[in-house]
Amino acid sequence: MCNLHSNMTTQQAMRQLFDVAAGFDGLGNFAPLPAIFPRYSAPVVRIGAGGERELVSMHWGFLMPQVSKKTGKPIMPKAVNNARDDKVRHSGFWRASFEARRCLIPATSFCEAKGRNPATYYWFGMASEDPDARPPFAFAGMWRGFRGEYRGELVEIETHTMVTSTPNELVKPVHPDRMPVILEPEDYETWLTGTPEAAAELMRPYPAGKMRIVQQGEGVKEDPAG
């Protein structure tokens, strides 16, 4: 499962890559993000109320209210930042979002850790002859609104989560269970607006030959290249 990724693509480049008109760019003054963690905001591309693609910032992680086992009182909601591809069509927690609120999550790399004390962090990106290049891509995601107590106040925010699938041959030695679903550009429209059946066909491991490990090391928790 992915708990860390980067997005070093400029705002203008994201609008071009994801076919978002300037009037539907809601990011404000966006600065590239070398490290994006759960419970923080990140750019997302979705279909807006008028049917146009829009670029917005959303909290990473669907928020699930929780109560203390000891006191029965509400505690910090759980942030569910990954959704398994074999669960999204049948789970009551995911199904409505998969059927009606799919989105694209722009990125330039993602990270998986291996080992402990210390862990080695492996950053995965798209294949390129330039070791410093970080070709942009998009994860398959879903979004939904949340209204409730969060971080000490009543909020009404939009949240997103990342869909995962089985790992390919490049990711599996580092994380043998899951990897994010990466979409080909020609599949963006199907993921955003296609039927659930068509979207389900896209939830598969991305070809290992089109990827590479862009950096690795102990404590390497960001990827600012690009």
Side-chain angles (χ1 to χ4, degrees), residues 197-212:
E197 291 74 19
E201 294 295 322
L202 303 178
M203 297 189 294
R204 54 182 181 249
Y206 195 75
K210 295 183 177 183
M211 295 175 59
R212 64 191 173 102

Side-chain angles (χ1 to χ4, degrees), residues 18 27 62 73 75 78 84 88 90 94 99 101 106 109 112 124 127 138 142 146 155 162 181 187 199 212 222 224:
F18 300 106
L27 291 184
F62 279 15
K73 294 182 178 180
I75 58 175
K78 181 180 180 180
R84 291 178 61 106
V88 296
H90 310 292
W94 301 117
E99 291 178 351
R101 295 186 298 274
S109 61
E112 300 287 2
F124 300 90
M142 304 179 294
F146 172 82
V155 301
M162 185 183 298
V181 172
D187 293 327
R212 64 191 173 102
E222 63 177 33

Side-chain angles (χ1 to χ4, degrees), residues 25-54:
D25 178 356
L27 291 184
N29 294 320
F30 172 76
L33 299 168
I36 303 170
F37 293 92
R39 295 190 185 274
Y40 289 87
S41 295
V44 167
V45 178
R46 68 173 177 186
I47 300 298
E52 300 285 346
R53 291 189 187 187
E54 60 182 18

Side-chain angles (χ1 to χ4, degrees), residues 59-104:
H59 174 282
W60 184 15
F62 279 15
L63 293 174
M64 180 188 297
Q66 299 187 104
V67 296
S68 169
K69 294 181 180 179
K70 292 184 178 180
T71 68
K73 294 182 178 180
I75 58 175
M76 173 77 82
K78 181 180 180 180
V80 188
N81 53 292
N82 292 152
R84 291 178 61 106
D85 59 345
D86 55 355
K87 302 289 186 183
V88 296
R89 300 195 69 188
H90 310 292
S91 165
F93 185 73
W94 301 117
R95 187 172 59 247
S97 296
F98 176 73
E99 291 178 351
R101 295 186 298 274
R102 296 187 297 271
C103 63
L104 306 174

